[in-house]
Amino acid sequence: MPKLKRSESDERATDFVESLDRGLRLLQCFGTNAGPMTLSDLARAAGLPRATARRMLLTLQYGGFVSGDGKLFSLTPHVLTLAASYLRSNQLVTVLQPVLDRVATAANEISSLAVLDGDDVVFIARGGPARVFSSGLEIGYRLPAFCTSVGRAMLGQLDDIELLERLKRMKREALTPQTVTEPKALLARIVADRVQGYALVDREAEPHFRSISVPVRRYDNVIVAAINMGAHVDRVPAKELVVRFLPLLCEGAESVGTQLL
């Protein structure tokens, strides 16, 4: 009798390493509080039995990712090697870092690169003028995609039906009095942004900040990221974002398409 071929879902289920998944979930739970956390707090946050969480923490401690005295546990700087590996191996960062630096120098403002991660955007690179950074979004900073210019620039790749369904499923909490949260209103704005080729968000993600973004497309025209520039509302008017910043961002995004696989 011929051997039945396993389906892809069966293979994923068989290959799934539950202990690794639990350990990674436990690492992520440290970000829920500032400072050391107790075993009970971590187990509760990760949804794990206390004994299981303890074994995971001891394993992570052995690997140098966690420090603890048996009662309180903290992440160690060794955790940053995971982020460093991502940044060193990420083609987007390698290709776009010179672009961010060039754009930032030309505008004398900070520029950033972001990607989608679920319903959030994550900033993975930034460029700045020669002066020391004094403000701006740090690498690793997360924001909801629906109310950010980088998020809307990337979400515009979805067709209207898929986009509306995704917006409805998202957690859409107002971050400022100006935040648009109604799905159909968001759809209309993102569709308009898609047509004009850029997204401008004014005080929706942060109360005194406005930003402008353009999508970054790889060789086959698929949007894989977005680059942006922004400024405090008292310092840079919205019109200046379009007149001065937008051409720099468009030139930068268009210059890398053939380099991205």
Side-chain angles (χ1 to χ4, degrees), residues 112-179:
S112 300
L113 168 68
V115 294
L116 276 175
D117 184 21
D119 293 338
D120 293 338
V121 294
V122 182
F123 292 86
I124 61 173
R126 67 200 299 249
R131 60 183 170 82
V132 177
F133 289 143
S134 59
S135 62
L137 300 174
E138 299 295 337
I139 293 174
Y141 192 69
R142 305 177 72 92
L143 283 169
F146 79 92
C147 62
T148 57
S149 62
V150 283
R152 291 181 185 175
M154 289 184 280
L155 289 172
Q157 181 162 241
L158 303 175
D159 65 55
D160 293 2
I161 296 176
E162 184 181 359
L163 176 56
L164 182 58
E165 288 303 311
R166 183 160 179 177
L167 290 169
K168 289 178 178 178
R169 292 194 303 267
M170 285 182 181
K171 184 178 181 180
R172 304 179 312 279
E173 292 184 354
L175 302 184
T176 76
Q178 283 75 33
T179 306

Short mmCIF file of all heavy atoms in Angstrom, two decimals, residues 112-179:
data_model
loop_
_atom_site.label_atom_id
_atom_site.label_comp_id
_atom_site.label_asym_id
_atom_site.label_seq_id
_atom_site.Cartn_x
_atom_site.Cartn_y
_atom_site.Cartn_z
N SER A 112 12.86 57.76 8.82
CA SER A 112 12.71 56.44 9.41
C SER A 112 12.22 55.43 8.39
O SER A 112 11.55 55.77 7.41
CB SER A 112 11.72 56.49 10.58
OG SER A 112 12.15 57.38 11.59
N LEU A 113 12.54 54.17 8.66
CA LEU A 113 12.09 53.03 7.86
C LEU A 113 11.25 52.13 8.74
O LEU A 113 11.65 51.81 9.87
CB LEU A 113 13.30 52.26 7.32
CG LEU A 113 13.05 50.88 6.70
CD1 LEU A 113 12.27 51.01 5.39
CD2 LEU A 113 14.37 50.16 6.46
N ALA A 114 10.07 51.72 8.25
CA ALA A 114 9.19 50.88 9.05
C ALA A 114 8.65 49.73 8.21
O ALA A 114 8.55 49.83 6.98
CB ALA A 114 8.01 51.71 9.60
N VAL A 115 8.30 48.64 8.88
CA VAL A 115 7.66 47.49 8.25
C VAL A 115 6.41 47.13 9.04
O VAL A 115 6.25 47.52 10.20
CB VAL A 115 8.62 46.27 8.20
CG1 VAL A 115 9.80 46.56 7.29
CG2 VAL A 115 9.10 45.89 9.60
N LEU A 116 5.53 46.37 8.40
CA LEU A 116 4.33 45.88 9.07
C LEU A 116 4.66 44.64 9.88
O LEU A 116 5.40 43.76 9.43
CB LEU A 116 3.24 45.54 8.05
CG LEU A 116 2.35 46.67 7.54
CD1 LEU A 116 1.42 46.13 6.45
CD2 LEU A 116 1.54 47.30 8.66
N ASP A 117 4.10 44.56 11.07
CA ASP A 117 4.20 43.35 11.90
C ASP A 117 2.82 43.12 12.49
O ASP A 117 2.47 43.70 13.52
CB ASP A 117 5.25 43.52 13.00
CG ASP A 117 5.44 42.25 13.81
OD1 ASP A 117 5.09 41.17 13.31
OD2 ASP A 117 5.94 42.34 14.96
N GLY A 118 2.02 42.31 11.80
CA GLY A 118 0.62 42.15 12.21
C GLY A 118 -0.13 43.44 11.97
O GLY A 118 -0.12 44.00 10.87
N ASP A 119 -0.77 43.95 13.01
CA ASP A 119 -1.52 45.20 12.90
C ASP A 119 -0.72 46.41 13.35
O ASP A 119 -1.26 47.51 13.46
CB ASP A 119 -2.81 45.11 13.73
CG ASP A 119 -3.78 44.10 13.17
OD1 ASP A 119 -3.68 43.80 11.97
OD2 ASP A 119 -4.64 43.61 13.92
N ASP A 120 0.56 46.21 13.61
CA ASP A 120 1.44 47.30 14.04
C ASP A 120 2.47 47.61 12.96
O ASP A 120 2.71 46.81 12.06
CB ASP A 120 2.19 46.93 15.32
CG ASP A 120 1.28 46.79 16.53
OD1 ASP A 120 0.17 47.38 16.50
OD2 ASP A 120 1.67 46.12 17.49
N VAL A 121 3.09 48.77 13.11
CA VAL A 121 4.29 49.07 12.34
C VAL A 121 5.46 49.06 13.32
O VAL A 121 5.31 49.43 14.49
CB VAL A 121 4.21 50.44 11.63
CG1 VAL A 121 3.13 50.41 10.56
CG2 VAL A 121 3.94 51.58 12.61
N VAL A 122 6.61 48.63 12.84
CA VAL A 122 7.82 48.60 13.65
C VAL A 122 8.89 49.38 12.90
O VAL A 122 9.13 49.14 11.72
CB VAL A 122 8.31 47.16 13.91
CG1 VAL A 122 9.55 47.19 14.81
CG2 VAL A 122 7.22 46.32 14.54
N PHE A 123 9.53 50.31 13.59
CA PHE A 123 10.58 51.12 12.98
C PHE A 123 11.90 50.37 13.12
O PHE A 123 12.32 50.04 14.23
CB PHE A 123 10.64 52.49 13.63
CG PHE A 123 9.43 53.33 13.32
CD1 PHE A 123 8.27 53.22 14.08
CD2 PHE A 123 9.43 54.19 12.24
CE1 PHE A 123 7.13 53.96 13.77
CE2 PHE A 123 8.31 54.94 11.92
CZ PHE A 123 7.16 54.82 12.69
N ILE A 124 12.55 50.08 11.98
CA ILE A 124 13.74 49.24 11.99
C ILE A 124 15.02 49.96 11.58
O ILE A 124 16.10 49.37 11.65
CB ILE A 124 13.54 48.00 11.10
CG1 ILE A 124 13.28 48.39 9.65
CG2 ILE A 124 12.38 47.15 11.62
CD1 ILE A 124 13.26 47.19 8.69
N ALA A 125 14.92 51.21 11.16
CA ALA A 125 16.12 51.99 10.84
C ALA A 125 15.76 53.46 10.84
O ALA A 125 14.59 53.83 10.65
CB ALA A 125 16.69 51.57 9.48
N ARG A 126 16.76 54.29 11.04
CA ARG A 126 16.54 55.74 10.99
C ARG A 126 17.81 56.43 10.53
O ARG A 126 18.91 55.91 10.69
CB ARG A 126 16.09 56.27 12.37
CG ARG A 126 17.14 56.19 13.45
CD ARG A 126 16.54 56.26 14.84
NE ARG A 126 15.84 57.49 15.11
CZ ARG A 126 16.27 58.42 15.97
NH1 ARG A 126 17.43 58.25 16.58
NH2 ARG A 126 15.57 59.49 16.19
N GLY A 127 17.60 57.56 9.92
CA GLY A 127 18.73 58.37 9.49
C GLY A 127 18.56 59.78 10.00
O GLY A 127 17.43 60.23 10.23
N GLY A 128 19.66 60.48 10.21
CA GLY A 128 19.56 61.84 10.72
C GLY A 128 20.64 62.73 10.17
O GLY A 128 21.65 62.25 9.63
N PRO A 129 20.46 64.03 10.27
CA PRO A 129 21.49 64.96 9.83
C PRO A 129 22.71 64.85 10.74
O PRO A 129 22.72 64.08 11.70
CB PRO A 129 20.80 66.33 9.96
CG PRO A 129 19.74 66.11 10.99
CD PRO A 129 19.27 64.70 10.82
N ALA A 130 23.73 65.64 10.44
CA ALA A 130 24.99 65.53 11.17
C ALA A 130 24.82 65.83 12.65
O ALA A 130 25.54 65.30 13.49
CB ALA A 130 26.02 66.48 10.56
N ARG A 131 23.83 66.65 13.01
CA ARG A 131 23.64 66.98 14.42
C ARG A 131 23.19 65.74 15.19
O ARG A 131 22.64 64.80 14.63
CB ARG A 131 22.59 68.10 14.57
CG ARG A 131 21.23 67.77 14.01
CD ARG A 131 20.29 68.97 14.13
NE ARG A 131 19.05 68.77 13.39
CZ ARG A 131 18.01 68.09 13.82
NH1 ARG A 131 18.06 67.51 15.01
NH2 ARG A 131 16.92 67.97 13.10
N VAL A 132 23.42 65.75 16.47
CA VAL A 132 23.07 64.61 17.30
C VAL A 132 21.56 64.43 17.35
O VAL A 132 20.81 65.41 17.41
CB VAL A 132 23.61 64.82 18.74
CG1 VAL A 132 23.19 63.66 19.65
CG2 VAL A 132 25.12 64.95 18.71
N PHE A 133 21.09 63.17 17.33
CA PHE A 133 19.65 62.92 17.44
C PHE A 133 19.13 63.50 18.74
O PHE A 133 19.66 63.27 19.82
CB PHE A 133 19.38 61.41 17.46
CG PHE A 133 19.59 60.73 16.15
CD1 PHE A 133 20.13 59.47 16.11
CD2 PHE A 133 19.25 61.35 14.95
CE1 PHE A 133 20.33 58.82 14.89
CE2 PHE A 133 19.45 60.71 13.75
CZ PHE A 133 20.00 59.45 13.71
N SER A 134 18.06 64.23 18.64
CA SER A 134 17.43 64.78 19.85
C SER A 134 16.00 64.30 20.02
O SER A 134 15.41 64.46 21.07
CB SER A 134 17.45 66.32 19.80
OG SER A 134 16.76 66.79 18.66
N SER A 135 15.45 63.75 18.96
CA SER A 135 14.07 63.27 19.04
C SER A 135 13.85 62.28 17.91
O SER A 135 14.75 62.01 17.13
CB SER A 135 13.08 64.44 18.91
OG SER A 135 13.23 65.07 17.65
N GLY A 136 12.65 61.77 17.80
CA GLY A 136 12.34 60.86 16.72
C GLY A 136 12.02 59.48 17.24
O GLY A 136 12.16 59.17 18.41
N LEU A 137 11.57 58.63 16.34
CA LEU A 137 11.15 57.29 16.69
C LEU A 137 12.35 56.36 16.75
O LEU A 137 13.10 56.24 15.79
CB LEU A 137 10.13 56.79 15.66
CG LEU A 137 8.87 57.65 15.55
CD1 LEU A 137 8.00 57.16 14.41
CD2 LEU A 137 8.08 57.62 16.85
N GLU A 138 12.53 55.69 17.89
CA GLU A 138 13.66 54.82 18.08
C GLU A 138 13.46 53.50 17.32
O GLU A 138 12.34 53.08 17.03
CB GLU A 138 13.85 54.52 19.57
CG GLU A 138 14.12 55.76 20.43
CD GLU A 138 15.44 56.43 20.09
OE1 GLU A 138 16.34 55.74 19.54
OE2 GLU A 138 15.58 57.63 20.37
N ILE A 139 14.58 52.83 17.01
CA ILE A 139 14.52 51.53 16.37
C ILE A 139 13.84 50.55 17.31
O ILE A 139 14.15 50.48 18.50
CB ILE A 139 15.94 51.06 16.01
CG1 ILE A 139 16.53 51.95 14.93
CG2 ILE A 139 15.93 49.60 15.54
CD1 ILE A 139 17.97 51.67 14.60
N GLY A 140 12.88 49.80 16.77
CA GLY A 140 12.10 48.87 17.57
C GLY A 140 10.79 49.45 18.09
O GLY A 140 9.96 48.71 18.63
N TYR A 141 10.60 50.75 17.91
CA TYR A 141 9.37 51.40 18.39
C TYR A 141 8.17 50.91 17.57
O TYR A 141 8.25 50.76 16.36
CB TYR A 141 9.51 52.91 18.26
CG TYR A 141 8.45 53.71 18.97
CD1 TYR A 141 8.39 53.75 20.36
CD2 TYR A 141 7.50 54.44 18.24
CE1 TYR A 141 7.42 54.50 21.00
CE2 TYR A 141 6.53 55.19 18.89
CZ TYR A 141 6.49 55.22 20.26
OH TYR A 141 5.53 55.95 20.90
N ARG A 142 7.07 50.64 18.26
CA ARG A 142 5.87 50.11 17.60
C ARG A 142 4.70 51.09 17.75
O ARG A 142 4.56 51.75 18.78
CB ARG A 142 5.46 48.77 18.23
CG ARG A 142 6.53 47.72 18.23
CD ARG A 142 6.04 46.47 18.93
NE ARG A 142 5.05 45.75 18.14
CZ ARG A 142 5.36 44.77 17.29
NH1 ARG A 142 6.61 44.38 17.14
NH2 ARG A 142 4.42 44.16 16.60
N LEU A 143 3.89 51.15 16.72
CA LEU A 143 2.67 51.94 16.74
C LEU A 143 1.60 51.20 15.95
O LEU A 143 1.92 50.39 15.07
CB LEU A 143 2.90 53.32 16.11
CG LEU A 143 3.63 54.38 16.94
CD1 LEU A 143 3.99 55.57 16.07
CD2 LEU A 143 2.78 54.82 18.14
N PRO A 144 0.32 51.47 16.22
CA PRO A 144 -0.74 50.85 15.40
C PRO A 144 -0.63 51.31 13.95
O PRO A 144 -0.38 52.48 13.68
CB PRO A 144 -2.03 51.38 16.04
CG PRO A 144 -1.64 51.78 17.42
CD PRO A 144 -0.23 52.28 17.32
N ALA A 145 -0.82 50.39 13.03
CA ALA A 145 -0.66 50.72 11.61
C ALA A 145 -1.75 51.67 11.12
O ALA A 145 -1.50 52.52 10.26
CB ALA A 145 -0.66 49.45 10.78
N PHE A 146 -2.97 51.54 11.65
CA PHE A 146 -4.10 52.26 11.07
C PHE A 146 -3.99 53.77 11.22
O PHE A 146 -4.59 54.51 10.44
CB PHE A 146 -5.41 51.77 11.69
CG PHE A 146 -5.72 52.32 13.05
CD1 PHE A 146 -6.49 53.47 13.19
CD2 PHE A 146 -5.24 51.70 14.20
CE1 PHE A 146 -6.79 53.98 14.46
CE2 PHE A 146 -5.53 52.19 15.45
CZ PHE A 146 -6.30 53.34 15.59
N CYS A 147 -3.24 54.26 12.21
CA CYS A 147 -3.22 55.70 12.48
C CYS A 147 -1.85 56.32 12.23
O CYS A 147 -1.59 57.44 12.68
CB CYS A 147 -3.69 56.00 13.90
SG CYS A 147 -2.64 55.28 15.19
N THR A 148 -0.98 55.62 11.51
CA THR A 148 0.34 56.15 11.19
C THR A 148 0.49 56.28 9.69
O THR A 148 -0.10 55.53 8.92
CB THR A 148 1.44 55.22 11.72
OG1 THR A 148 1.27 53.91 11.16
CG2 THR A 148 1.40 55.12 13.24
N SER A 149 1.32 57.22 9.28
CA SER A 149 1.50 57.41 7.83
C SER A 149 2.22 56.22 7.21
O SER A 149 1.89 55.81 6.09
CB SER A 149 2.27 58.71 7.56
OG SER A 149 3.56 58.68 8.12
N VAL A 150 3.20 55.63 7.91
CA VAL A 150 3.88 54.47 7.35
C VAL A 150 2.92 53.29 7.24
O VAL A 150 2.94 52.54 6.25
CB VAL A 150 5.11 54.08 8.20
CG1 VAL A 150 6.28 55.01 7.93
CG2 VAL A 150 4.80 54.03 9.68
N GLY A 151 2.07 53.13 8.23
CA GLY A 151 1.10 52.03 8.20
C GLY A 151 0.12 52.18 7.07
O GLY A 151 -0.16 51.21 6.33
N ARG A 152 -0.42 53.36 6.89
CA ARG A 152 -1.39 53.58 5.82
C ARG A 152 -0.74 53.44 4.44
O ARG A 152 -1.37 52.95 3.50
CB ARG A 152 -2.04 54.95 5.98
CG ARG A 152 -2.96 55.03 7.19
CD ARG A 152 -3.62 56.40 7.31
NE ARG A 152 -4.41 56.49 8.53
CZ ARG A 152 -5.01 57.60 8.95
NH1 ARG A 152 -4.93 58.71 8.24
NH2 ARG A 152 -5.70 57.60 10.08
N ALA A 153 0.53 53.86 4.32
CA ALA A 153 1.22 53.71 3.04
C ALA A 153 1.37 52.24 2.67
O ALA A 153 1.27 51.87 1.49
CB ALA A 153 2.59 54.38 3.12
N MET A 154 1.57 51.38 3.66
CA MET A 154 1.73 49.95 3.38
C MET A 154 0.38 49.24 3.24
O MET A 154 0.22 48.36 2.40
CB MET A 154 2.57 49.30 4.48
CG MET A 154 4.04 49.70 4.42
SD MET A 154 5.08 48.86 5.64
CE MET A 154 4.75 49.83 7.12
N LEU A 155 -0.60 49.62 4.04
CA LEU A 155 -1.92 48.99 3.97
C LEU A 155 -2.59 49.28 2.63
O LEU A 155 -3.48 48.54 2.19
CB LEU A 155 -2.80 49.49 5.10
CG LEU A 155 -2.44 48.99 6.51
CD1 LEU A 155 -3.27 49.71 7.56
CD2 LEU A 155 -2.64 47.48 6.62
N GLY A 156 -2.19 50.35 1.97
CA GLY A 156 -2.78 50.71 0.68
C GLY A 156 -2.58 49.66 -0.40
O GLY A 156 -3.23 49.72 -1.44
N GLN A 157 -1.69 48.70 -0.15
CA GLN A 157 -1.47 47.66 -1.15
C GLN A 157 -2.64 46.67 -1.22
O GLN A 157 -2.84 46.01 -2.24
CB GLN A 157 -0.18 46.89 -0.82
CG GLN A 157 0.15 45.80 -1.81
CD GLN A 157 1.60 45.39 -1.73
OE1 GLN A 157 2.35 45.51 -2.70
NE2 GLN A 157 2.01 44.91 -0.58
N LEU A 158 -3.42 46.58 -0.14
CA LEU A 158 -4.55 45.65 -0.12
C LEU A 158 -5.69 46.17 -0.99
O LEU A 158 -5.89 47.39 -1.10
CB LEU A 158 -5.04 45.47 1.31
CG LEU A 158 -4.02 44.97 2.34
CD1 LEU A 158 -4.64 44.96 3.73
CD2 LEU A 158 -3.50 43.60 1.98
N ASP A 159 -6.46 45.25 -1.60
CA ASP A 159 -7.62 45.72 -2.34
C ASP A 159 -8.68 46.19 -1.35
O ASP A 159 -8.61 45.91 -0.15
CB ASP A 159 -8.17 44.64 -3.26
CG ASP A 159 -8.71 43.42 -2.52
OD1 ASP A 159 -9.59 43.58 -1.65
OD2 ASP A 159 -8.26 42.30 -2.80
N ASP A 160 -9.66 46.93 -1.83
CA ASP A 160 -10.60 47.62 -0.95
C ASP A 160 -11.35 46.67 -0.02
O ASP A 160 -11.54 46.96 1.17
CB ASP A 160 -11.60 48.42 -1.78
CG ASP A 160 -10.94 49.58 -2.51
OD1 ASP A 160 -9.71 49.72 -2.40
OD2 ASP A 160 -11.66 50.34 -3.18
N ILE A 161 -11.78 45.53 -0.53
CA ILE A 161 -12.55 44.59 0.28
C ILE A 161 -11.69 44.00 1.39
O ILE A 161 -12.08 43.97 2.56
CB ILE A 161 -13.15 43.47 -0.59
CG1 ILE A 161 -14.16 44.06 -1.58
CG2 ILE A 161 -13.80 42.39 0.27
CD1 ILE A 161 -14.72 43.04 -2.56
N GLU A 162 -10.50 43.55 1.02
CA GLU A 162 -9.59 42.97 2.00
C GLU A 162 -9.17 44.01 3.03
O GLU A 162 -9.05 43.73 4.22
CB GLU A 162 -8.36 42.40 1.30
CG GLU A 162 -7.40 41.68 2.23
CD GLU A 162 -6.17 41.15 1.50
OE1 GLU A 162 -6.08 41.32 0.27
OE2 GLU A 162 -5.31 40.55 2.18
N LEU A 163 -8.93 45.23 2.57
CA LEU A 163 -8.51 46.31 3.46
C LEU A 163 -9.59 46.63 4.49
O LEU A 163 -9.30 46.77 5.68
CB LEU A 163 -8.18 47.56 2.63
CG LEU A 163 -7.80 48.82 3.42
CD1 LEU A 163 -6.63 48.56 4.36
CD2 LEU A 163 -7.48 49.96 2.45
N LEU A 164 -10.84 46.73 4.05
CA LEU A 164 -11.93 47.04 4.97
C LEU A 164 -12.07 45.94 6.02
O LEU A 164 -12.26 46.23 7.21
CB LEU A 164 -13.24 47.23 4.21
CG LEU A 164 -14.46 47.60 5.06
CD1 LEU A 164 -14.21 48.90 5.84
CD2 LEU A 164 -15.70 47.73 4.19
N GLU A 165 -11.98 44.68 5.59
CA GLU A 165 -12.09 43.57 6.54
C GLU A 165 -10.95 43.60 7.55
O GLU A 165 -11.15 43.34 8.74
CB GLU A 165 -12.10 42.23 5.80
CG GLU A 165 -13.39 41.97 5.04
CD GLU A 165 -14.61 42.04 5.95
OE1 GLU A 165 -14.58 41.39 7.02
OE2 GLU A 165 -15.57 42.75 5.61
N ARG A 166 -9.76 43.92 7.07
CA ARG A 166 -8.62 43.98 8.00
C ARG A 166 -8.78 45.13 8.99
O ARG A 166 -8.48 44.98 10.17
CB ARG A 166 -7.32 44.13 7.21
CG ARG A 166 -6.08 44.13 8.10
CD ARG A 166 -4.84 43.79 7.33
NE ARG A 166 -3.68 43.81 8.17
CZ ARG A 166 -2.45 43.50 7.77
NH1 ARG A 166 -2.27 43.10 6.52
NH2 ARG A 166 -1.43 43.55 8.58
N LEU A 167 -9.24 46.25 8.51
CA LEU A 167 -9.46 47.40 9.41
C LEU A 167 -10.50 47.07 10.48
O LEU A 167 -10.35 47.45 11.64
CB LEU A 167 -9.90 48.62 8.60
CG LEU A 167 -8.84 49.25 7.71
CD1 LEU A 167 -9.48 50.28 6.77
CD2 LEU A 167 -7.74 49.91 8.54
N LYS A 168 -11.53 46.36 10.10
CA LYS A 168 -12.57 45.99 11.06
C LYS A 168 -12.02 45.05 12.14
O LYS A 168 -12.45 45.12 13.30
CB LYS A 168 -13.75 45.32 10.34
CG LYS A 168 -14.59 46.27 9.51
CD LYS A 168 -15.71 45.51 8.80
CE LYS A 168 -16.59 46.45 7.99
NZ LYS A 168 -17.66 45.72 7.26
N ARG A 169 -11.09 44.18 11.76
CA ARG A 169 -10.53 43.23 12.72
C ARG A 169 -9.51 43.86 13.65
O ARG A 169 -9.23 43.34 14.73
CB ARG A 169 -9.87 42.06 11.98
CG ARG A 169 -10.85 41.15 11.24
CD ARG A 169 -10.16 39.85 10.84
NE ARG A 169 -8.98 40.08 10.02
CZ ARG A 169 -8.98 40.10 8.69
NH1 ARG A 169 -10.13 39.92 8.03
NH2 ARG A 169 -7.87 40.30 8.01
N MET A 170 -8.94 44.97 13.23
CA MET A 170 -7.89 45.62 14.03
C MET A 170 -8.44 46.20 15.32
O MET A 170 -9.60 46.61 15.40
CB MET A 170 -7.25 46.77 13.24
CG MET A 170 -6.32 46.37 12.16
SD MET A 170 -5.61 47.85 11.39
CE MET A 170 -4.57 47.11 10.15
N LYS A 171 -7.59 46.27 16.31
CA LYS A 171 -7.89 47.01 17.52
C LYS A 171 -7.62 48.48 17.21
O LYS A 171 -6.50 48.88 16.93
CB LYS A 171 -7.00 46.54 18.67
CG LYS A 171 -7.31 47.19 20.00
CD LYS A 171 -6.40 46.62 21.09
CE LYS A 171 -6.71 47.26 22.44
NZ LYS A 171 -5.81 46.71 23.50
N ARG A 172 -8.66 49.31 17.25
CA ARG A 172 -8.55 50.69 16.80
C ARG A 172 -8.88 51.64 17.94
O ARG A 172 -9.97 52.20 18.01
CB ARG A 172 -9.46 50.95 15.60
CG ARG A 172 -9.24 50.03 14.41
CD ARG A 172 -10.20 50.33 13.27
NE ARG A 172 -11.59 50.43 13.73
CZ ARG A 172 -12.38 49.39 13.96
NH1 ARG A 172 -11.94 48.16 13.78
NH2 ARG A 172 -13.61 49.56 14.38
N GLU A 173 -7.94 51.85 18.81
CA GLU A 173 -8.14 52.78 19.92
C GLU A 173 -7.60 54.15 19.53
O GLU A 173 -6.52 54.26 18.93
CB GLU A 173 -7.43 52.28 21.18
CG GLU A 173 -8.04 51.03 21.77
CD GLU A 173 -7.37 50.63 23.07
OE1 GLU A 173 -6.36 51.28 23.43
OE2 GLU A 173 -7.84 49.67 23.70
N ALA A 174 -8.33 55.20 19.89
CA ALA A 174 -7.88 56.56 19.58
C ALA A 174 -6.69 56.92 20.46
O ALA A 174 -6.77 56.84 21.68
CB ALA A 174 -9.02 57.55 19.80
N LEU A 175 -5.59 57.31 19.84
CA LEU A 175 -4.40 57.71 20.59
C LEU A 175 -4.39 59.20 20.87
O LEU A 175 -3.70 59.66 21.78
CB LEU A 175 -3.14 57.32 19.82
CG LEU A 175 -2.98 55.82 19.48
CD1 LEU A 175 -1.64 55.57 18.81
CD2 LEU A 175 -3.10 54.97 20.75
N THR A 176 -5.14 59.96 20.09
CA THR A 176 -5.26 61.41 20.29
C THR A 176 -6.69 61.80 19.93
O THR A 176 -7.44 61.00 19.34
CB THR A 176 -4.29 62.19 19.37
OG1 THR A 176 -4.81 62.20 18.03
CG2 THR A 176 -2.89 61.59 19.38
N PRO A 177 -7.09 63.03 20.21
CA PRO A 177 -8.44 63.47 19.82
C PRO A 177 -8.64 63.48 18.30
O PRO A 177 -9.77 63.44 17.82
CB PRO A 177 -8.52 64.89 20.38
CG PRO A 177 -7.57 64.90 21.53
CD PRO A 177 -6.44 64.01 21.11
N GLN A 178 -7.54 63.51 17.53
CA GLN A 178 -7.64 63.55 16.06
C GLN A 178 -7.64 62.16 15.41
O GLN A 178 -7.84 62.04 14.20
CB GLN A 178 -6.47 64.36 15.49
CG GLN A 178 -6.61 65.87 15.60
CD GLN A 178 -6.35 66.34 17.02
OE1 GLN A 178 -5.53 65.75 17.74
NE2 GLN A 178 -7.03 67.39 17.44
N THR A 179 -7.43 61.10 16.18
CA THR A 179 -7.32 59.76 15.60
C THR A 179 -8.63 59.33 14.96
O THR A 179 -9.68 59.35 15.60
CB THR A 179 -6.92 58.73 16.67
OG1 THR A 179 -5.74 59.16 17.34
CG2 THR A 179 -6.65 57.38 16.02
#
